[in-house]
Amino acid sequence: MSGLVHQPDEGAAAEQTVASGGEPGTRSPEPGSGILRVFGRQMKLFRLRAGLERVDMGARTGYSPATIAAYGQGRRVPPPKFIDLADELLDAGGVLKEMKEEVARAQYPAFFRDAARLEAEAVELHAYDTHLVKGLLQTEAYARAVFRMWRPYLDEEVIEQRLAARMARQEIFTRRPAPHLTFVLEEAVLHKRIGGDQIWRGQLEQILSIGHQRNVEIQVMPLNQAEHAGLAGPFTLMETKDGRRIAYTEVQSDSRLHTERDRVRGLEATYGTIRAQALTPHESLSLVQKFLGGR
């Protein structure tokens, strides 16, 4: 891999695409392009060969004809369960199942896809965030509120697609063997009642729940910290199972994936200092509990 990958064009090779653990930008995931169109065409050919109308296929798979049409036209991302059902129903011989991984990647914005793959392979992940709760820590309600606030507006279908993708990423917390995960949040993030009081409280409760997992450490950088090594902005560090160490940065959706060792080492040193300056994990969870009123 090269030392630095800048935000690529949609058509760039997979190893050159970049992804974000933060918020997607104004770029559309373009669900009607690429692998989804290929999957849709293949599914239609197998469906016609089997002599099934959309309504018949829908009845036998539990999906509406409109949904079958959307999958066939590449306008929506079919879930893995549907792909398995379709492959067996249409006697596709594994052709549709073979595309399942690439189809799943298409649910993310283009610049998010490779980071999602790297994240899924990570044996360690360390993230510093400054503006909102990290995507991996978000509740469904909090994430939906964030997507609804995005400008320019995202279509409801795109919101639901990205929401499902974000929730699926949280399987990292139940993966075995368990990866080592650490997060540092600015205290200001905890003050932001995104989505309203109920959603905000639910999000703080989720932080507490995840923070008590043995392989997870969550820390808060207090507002009154006089020395602060993280003023250059948020970033994520990952180490994959094959030993690759990668840093990811994003500012206003200008996404960069760093693999050059000196650059990654520098951010690792910065993260170590940030953790030393932040509250301890115990102190941090106590602060979150204080926000919730000590209950």
Side-chain angles (χ1 to χ4, degrees):
M1 296 177 70
S2 61
L4 173 69
V5 183
H6 188 261
Q7 179 90 325
D9 292 331
E10 173 82 18
E15 283 299 326
Q16 294 178 312
T17 57
V18 186
S20 164
E23 293 322 298
T26 58
R27 298 168 188 239
S28 166
E30 299 185 6
S33 65
I35 187 64
L36 296 186
R37 287 204 307 266
V38 173
F39 175 86
R41 287 197 298 265
Q42 291 294 321
M43 185 183 74
K44 181 178 179 180
L45 288 173
F46 284 118
R47 178 174 62 80
L48 294 177
R49 188 189 69 174
L52 294 176
E53 298 292 335
R54 287 172 183 158
V55 66
D56 301 319
M57 184 174 179
R60 296 175 67 174
T61 59
Y63 292 79
S64 70
T67 299
I68 299 296
Y71 293 159
Q73 294 161 8
R75 293 185 290 105
R76 291 182 61 182
V77 180
K81 179 181 177 181
F82 172 83
I83 296 175
D84 289 339
L85 287 171
D87 194 277
E88 294 172 10
L89 173 64
L90 304 178
D91 193 24
V95 172
L96 300 181
K97 288 183 180 181
E98 184 66 24
M99 291 184 275
K100 189 159 55 175
E101 182 176 343
E102 288 301 312
V103 167
R105 279 163 49 83
Q107 66 192 316
Y108 301 111
F111 67 88
F112 186 77
R113 292 169 190 164
D114 266 12
R117 176 180 56 80
L118 291 168
E119 183 181 90
E121 297 174 1
V123 295
E124 289 192 21
L125 184 145
H126 312 285
Y128 167 60
D129 279 282
T130 59
H131 291 85
L132 76 168
V133 175
K134 180 76 172 173
L136 281 175
L137 299 174
Q138 291 176 8
T139 65
E140 183 173 337
Y142 184 99
R144 180 178 280 107
V146 170
F147 287 136
R148 287 183 179 276
M149 293 176 189
W150 199 257
R151 299 297 184 274
Y153 292 106
L154 298 174
D155 292 340
E156 285 299 318
E157 187 172 300
V158 172
I159 289 175
E160 292 305 314
Q161 177 178 301
R162 295 188 182 181
L163 183 63
R166 177 156 297 181
M167 294 302 100
R169 289 170 53 214
Q170 294 182 5
E171 293 178 1
I172 193 172
F173 294 111
T174 57
R175 205 175 71 205
R176 294 294 179 268
H180 180 210
L181 308 170
T182 71
F183 303 88
V184 180
L185 304 173
E186 286 292 326
E187 183 182 339
V189 169
L190 303 179
H191 286 272
K192 295 180 181 178
R193 304 194 176 209
I194 291 175
D197 283 358
Q198 184 175 352
I199 291 175
W200 171 74
R201 292 186 67 84
Q203 180 59 67
L204 294 186
E205 288 169 354
Q206 170 124 319
I207 290 172
L208 283 176
S209 176
I210 294 176
H212 282 109
Q213 294 188 28
R214 292 178 59 196
N215 64 311
V216 180
E217 294 179 332
I218 297 177
Q219 294 177 253
V220 175
M221 178 69 79
L223 289 172
N224 63 359
Q225 176 57 263
E227 296 186 13
H228 196 318
L231 300 181
F235 58 91
T236 299
L237 300 168
M238 293 178 281
E239 181 174 348
T240 63
K241 57 188 176 183
D242 59 1
R244 285 184 296 162
R245 302 173 83 166
I246 300 152
Y248 175 78
T249 61
E250 180 187 359
V251 178
Q252 291 294 329
S253 298
D254 180 9
S255 307
R256 296 172 184 262
L257 189 67
H258 305 267
T259 59
E260 198 277 321
R261 190 67 196 116
D262 286 345
R263 174 61 170 157
V264 175
R265 185 183 293 113
L267 287 171
E268 289 172 341
T270 297
Y271 189 73
T273 304
I274 289 172
R275 291 198 69 190
Q277 293 170 339
L279 300 176
T280 67
H282 177 75
E283 292 169 339
S284 299
L285 295 185
S286 295
L287 178 61
V288 174
Q289 187 70 63
K290 182 179 178 180
F291 274 91
L292 285 168
R295 297 193 304 175

